[in-house]
Amino acid sequence: NYFQKIVEVLINVTKSKRAGIVFFADSKRLNEFVSSPFDRKLGRNKNILKEDMSTAEKEFVIQRAATAGQITVSSAVFGRGTDFFCKDETVESNGGVHVVQAFLSAELSEEIQIQGRTARQGKKGTYSMVLLEKDLEQDFEVNPGPVDNWPRNDYYKLLSEARKKCHDEHCKMMELNLKEATDKDKASQDYLDALLRRDPGTSGLFKNLYLSMKKRPVPETIDLDLTFAIDNTGSMRAYKNAIRSTISSLVKGHNSFLPKLKVKFPDTTFKIRLGLFAYRDIDDGSNQFRLATQPFTEDIDVLLSDVHQLTSHASGGGDISEDHLGAIHFLTELDRPGCWESSIKVLLLLTDAPCHGHLPSCFCPTADNYNVRHPMGLTVESVADDLIKKEIDLFICSLNPMATLPFEKELASAYFDHKDNSEERMVVSVPLVQNHQNAANTIGVSLTGSSKHIVFVLDESGSMSFNWSGVVVAYNNYMKRRLEQQFDLDLVSVVQFDSGAHVTVQMENIVNAPDALGYSGGGTRFHPAAHEAYNLVLQTPASHSPVVVFMSDGMADDSSAAASTFNSLNQEVKNRYGGELELHVIGFGGGTDTAQLRTIASASGRGSLHSTSDVSSLSNVFVQIAGGGDNVAKVLETEIGNRIYDAVTDRLTAEYVG
């Protein structure tokens, strides 16, 4: 123990009828010693020498310091110029005053001065150091491990080299600071000269001057708060695995942004604190906001455990729109120890829904129960003010960019135009869907609505008799997935076919669509079914986008006619809506003619062919078509990782002199 070693040295000195003086680095360490149990072990012949003592008290302690059996505990400030003159012959005859320096001086000159507090004016005296490894590591970057391996006779030499290295770096930093001050002085002079000349470019010079005044050298350690705000309503259940995988990859996997930052800033250590928060909608009341067990933690495993727990209970939401404004406001106002204390603060909001008050025009008005005013009076302007005041960089990570676009644009504008946003920081939008999905959602007003008219075209021929119940399960799982995503305005139509075709469900709201479908059995012809699908698709309202799901386990001699009908349908969809038909063709079992089904799928540029071997894989394909979330995981990980890296790099470049 550090204090114990100091006490042992001093007690051994006094046993020899000498005097001992210990110098601590500062008053804080001195007070720590005095408050410790080790102080009492020094006995009664001990005096404390402090800066806040009166002149008379100081003189009394100094005069007694060099007397036999006396111990003096002092701070380093008395190691320069204080005359601890020894007049005690007993002390002199036994070796004089012994000085203990309990720290390594940053400058050699201070060390020489402290050594000079003994052996005054030709008297005897000795000197030693007792050092704390933690101080050496913190102040001189000397790691405890290597010290243990040093040859004992080389201790002082190696410590001196470490001190010199730190001193040289300090001098280098002073030179950089001097250069920076010179540059700032020149920028100030240029600005003043421009003012006197009434130069029209004065505003630009002022901006450069302001930013140069704000910059400083990149520190050795930078703290970073990274908080995930996850929309935890029912529709996000489909993406829980993707979100878990993404967060894990960002903080410890191959898509982590930290190794990239280390390459960019090799002399800087990034200390990351992770936050987690889940939110629901306004009408969910007391269940709306839910913090992780530890709102901010450096323990990655704790965070990942909380992510798994929070995303396992996605539910609620009421209408389609969600309370993103309330979530951001709640987080910025969070008042807990350690919240938002880092120099760089990043908030990632992950959602798939529009924001209250910012519903896209193609959505039905009933999708937003708070489209006029937020119950708390929150606006994009007030939330932008919250973010700017806390210096938080916001990322909106959208799993449905079309739905969130109006909110993203308005908040980004309010944030960028804020009067205190002198650095012109921006809200970053990260669309988290595959490119082909994104294109499919941005091809015209009538095809951008989140609601769909799904036309199921299902083969009920004789060969399907043993598997028809599995087809019905797959059909129900499709609708279940859509409802989980809160697409309760979807419309459902069903065409069942064998050698003929008949409509069994016609444009029913998905909530009311039947969960049971009858079965007849017969031969197999495709064209009658294609014709019925054609008529149903053209009845799709402008607020919905049409989708055809065509499933068969066989082949037909009229497949070419069916493909021609779907070609014509695709052209009608393009003419009416400005985009191609979403067409899924599914082959079931081993009796299908893949070439025939591929021809039908190719009738649309957005046609796709799926192959399934049994009812289990059939159900999986139906769910995937309905909008599964797992397949976006890799896009999430790569995209968010790159965006965070770019944002942090830009911030450091703007804020510090690199």
Side-chain angles (χ1 to χ4, degrees):
N1 185 285
Y2 171 59
F3 288 157
Q4 182 177 348
K5 184 63 177 177
I6 293 171
V7 168
E8 289 175 357
V9 172
L10 293 173
I11 289 177
N12 286 334
V13 166
T14 56
K15 284 181 179 179
S16 301
K17 297 183 179 180
R18 299 173 64 191
I21 306 173
V22 58
F23 291 98
F24 288 103
D26 50 36
S27 297
K28 180 181 178 183
R29 182 61 59 81
L30 169 64
N31 291 331
E32 287 176 3
F33 176 78
V34 172
S35 301
S36 74
F38 297 99
D39 175 71
R40 292 191 294 274
K41 293 183 178 182
L42 295 178
R44 296 183 177 182
N45 290 336
K46 172 200 68 185
N47 284 322
I48 310 297
L49 184 58
K50 292 185 176 182
E51 298 170 59
D52 57 359
M53 295 167 61
S54 68
T55 302
E57 289 172 326
K58 291 176 185 176
E59 288 180 354
F60 174 79
V61 173
I62 292 169
Q63 288 175 5
R64 286 186 56 84
T67 57
Q70 184 66 46
I71 294 173
T72 305
V73 181
S74 173
S75 60
V77 69
F78 295 99
R80 287 178 177 267
T82 307
D83 190 5
F84 297 97
F85 185 65
C86 180
K87 299 179 181 179
D88 191 321
E89 292 300 328
T90 302
V91 171
E92 179 67 12
S93 63
N94 287 305
V97 176
H98 181 76
V99 167
V100 178
Q101 183 172 344
F103 66 100
L104 182 64
S105 298
E107 296 183 7
L108 179 61
S109 60
E110 180 184 49
E111 184 179 305
I112 294 172
Q113 285 282 337
I114 291 175
Q115 290 174 356
R117 296 316 96 200
T118 184
R120 305 286 296 170
Q121 301 179 19
K123 300 287 185 178
K124 295 178 181 178
T126 53
Y127 165 89
S128 66
M129 283 185 180
V130 177
L131 306 178
L132 183 62
E133 288 181 345
K134 184 176 69 174
D135 289 346
L136 297 177
E137 184 176 9
Q138 179 177 322
D139 299 336
F140 301 96
E141 299 181 357
V142 175
N143 295 320
V147 170
D148 294 338
N149 299 325
W150 290 354
R152 190 170 186 83
N153 293 334
D154 291 341
Y155 270 20
Y156 185 75
K157 174 185 174 184
L158 294 171
L159 287 174
S160 296
E161 290 174 355
R163 172 167 56 194
K164 183 178 184 304
K165 179 182 176 183
C166 288
H167 182 266
D168 291 345
E169 290 175 354
H170 177 69
C171 292
K172 183 178 179 182
M173 186 60 67
M174 289 182 64
E175 291 175 1
L176 289 174
N177 290 341
L178 178 60
K179 181 180 182 304
E180 181 183 351
T182 303
D183 292 342
K184 289 178 180 179
D185 180 70
K186 183 179 183 304
S188 301
Q189 192 59 52
D190 290 344
Y191 174 63
L192 291 173
D193 291 344
L195 282 177
L196 293 174
R197 295 194 307 269
R198 297 184 178 180
D199 191 324
T202 302
S203 59
L205 289 173
F206 177 76
K207 179 181 176 181
N208 293 337
L209 174 62
Y210 172 80
L211 292 176
S212 70
M213 293 294 183
K214 201 172 187 303
K215 287 185 178 182
R216 54 196 185 276
V218 180
E220 294 180 358
T221 302
I222 292 179
D223 293 339
L224 189 154
D225 285 345
L226 175 61
T227 298
F228 299 92
I230 303 174
D231 175 351
N232 205 34
T233 54
S235 63
M236 290 292 287
R237 191 180 302 129
Y239 301 104
K240 64 181 181 182
N241 290 335
I243 290 171
R244 292 169 183 172
S245 173
T246 297
I247 294 177
S248 177
S249 179
L250 281 177
V251 297
K252 63 186 283 190
H254 63 280
N255 282 310
S256 174
F257 57 92
L258 289 174
K260 298 178 184 177
L261 288 174
K262 191 62 181 175
V263 172
K264 182 73 174 180
F265 303 95
D267 298 326
T268 299
T269 299
F270 289 90
K271 184 178 180 182
I272 182 170
R273 296 190 313 151
L274 302 163
L276 181 65
F277 166 75
Y279 67 97
R280 294 179 179 146
D281 203 7
I282 297 168
D283 292 335
D284 290 306
S286 60
N287 294 320
Q288 183 177 6
F289 301 130
R290 190 177 176 196
L291 288 166
T293 307
Q294 297 182 26
F296 284 89
T297 179
E298 296 176 20
D299 192 324
I300 292 176
D301 292 330
V302 168
L303 174 92
L304 296 179
S305 175
D306 284 340
V307 168
H308 192 278
Q309 182 181 6
L310 289 181
T311 55
S312 296
H313 301 91
S315 63
D319 56 5
I320 290 177
S321 299
E322 307 299 357
D323 189 17
H324 308 324
L325 294 177
I328 297 171
H329 177 72
F330 178 88
L331 279 175
T332 55
E333 294 295 310
L334 199 59
D335 185 18
R336 291 197 181 188
C339 289
W340 302 120
E341 292 182 351
S342 294
S343 55
I344 297 179
K345 311 173 190 72
V346 177
L347 171 61
L348 273 74
L349 186 145
L350 295 99
T351 183
D352 67 340
C355 178
H356 285 301
H358 304 276
L359 192 70
S361 59
C362 58
F363 279 70
C364 177
T366 57
D368 187 356
N369 294 339
Y370 299 93
N371 61 338
V372 176
R373 183 182 183 276
H374 191 282
M376 294 177 59
L378 300 177
T379 63
V380 290
E381 289 77 16
S382 67
V383 167
D385 187 63
D386 292 336
L387 292 166
I388 291 292
K389 285 179 178 176
K390 285 288 180 74
E391 297 185 326
I392 298 173
D393 290 309
L394 174 66
F395 289 67
I396 300 177
C397 307
S398 177
L399 291 148
N400 188 352
M402 176 277 304
T404 57
L405 185 60
F407 167 63
E408 292 176 32
K409 283 186 174 180
E410 293 185 41
L411 180 57
S413 176
Y415 187 93
F416 185 79
D417 295 335
H418 193 281
K419 59 183 179 61
D420 295 330
N421 187 14
S422 57
E423 297 175 7
E424 298 182 347
R425 287 153 51 191
M426 296 182 289
V427 170
V428 179
S429 296
V430 186
L432 302 179
V433 293
Q434 301 281 5
N435 290 335
H436 70 271
Q437 290 175 311
N438 196 33
N441 286 334
T442 56
I443 56 176
V445 172
S446 60
L447 290 184
T448 57
S450 62
S451 299
K452 294 183 177 183
H453 175 205
I454 307 109
V455 180
F456 294 97
V457 186
L458 307 176
D459 184 345
E460 61 170 357
S461 60
S463 58
M464 291 295 299
S465 60
F466 295 105
N467 294 305
W468 182 250
S469 60
V471 173
V472 175
V473 169
Y475 153 81
N476 278 292
N477 284 342
Y478 183 107
M479 293 192 293
K480 179 182 177 182
R481 175 55 63 94
R482 293 293 292 174
L483 288 171
E484 285 177 350
Q485 295 175 295
Q486 297 186 4
F487 293 123
D488 52 4
L489 298 179
D490 280 355
L491 299 174
V492 173
S493 296
V494 179
V495 177
Q496 295 176 225
F497 71 94
D498 45 25
S499 56
H502 57 120
V503 177
T504 55
V505 180
Q506 183 167 355
M507 297 185 65
E508 282 282 358
N509 179 270
I510 192 169
V511 176
N512 302 318
D515 54 10
L517 299 174
Y519 172 77
S520 60
T524 304
R525 297 186 70 232
F526 292 162
H527 185 248
H531 179 73
E532 294 293 350
Y534 182 101
N535 293 331
L536 287 168
V537 166
L538 295 186
Q539 296 176 46
T540 303
S543 57
H544 289 60
S545 57
V547 179
V548 173
V549 180
F550 183 98
M551 187 282 302
S552 176
D553 73 335
M555 60 185 73
D557 56 11
D558 62 347
S559 62
S560 296
S564 177
T565 298
F566 279 115
N567 266 309
S568 299
L569 176 58
N570 186 56
Q571 191 60 50
E572 284 286 347
V573 170
K574 286 197 292 186
N575 292 339
R576 292 190 182 199
Y577 307 126
E580 297 195 67
L581 173 69
E582 182 180 345
L583 173 61
H584 298 277
V585 180
I586 304 170
F588 176 76
T592 58
D593 188 324
T594 304
Q596 289 185 357
L597 297 182
R598 183 179 291 111
T599 301
I600 293 174
S602 63
S604 169
R606 294 179 62 206
S608 55
L609 177 63
H610 311 264
S611 296
T612 60
S613 58
D614 52 31
V615 291
S616 177
S617 60
L618 178 69
S619 185
N620 289 338
V621 168
F622 269 55
V623 170
Q624 180 184 356
I625 293 170
D630 295 351
N631 61 334
V632 302
K634 291 184 179 179
V635 180
L636 279 162
E637 295 166 13
T638 304
E639 190 67 15
I640 297 179
N642 289 339
R643 294 298 186 95
I644 294 177
Y645 166 75
D646 291 341
V648 174
T649 300
D650 290 345
R651 169 69 79 84
L652 293 178
T653 302
E655 190 163 350
Y656 299 105
V657 177

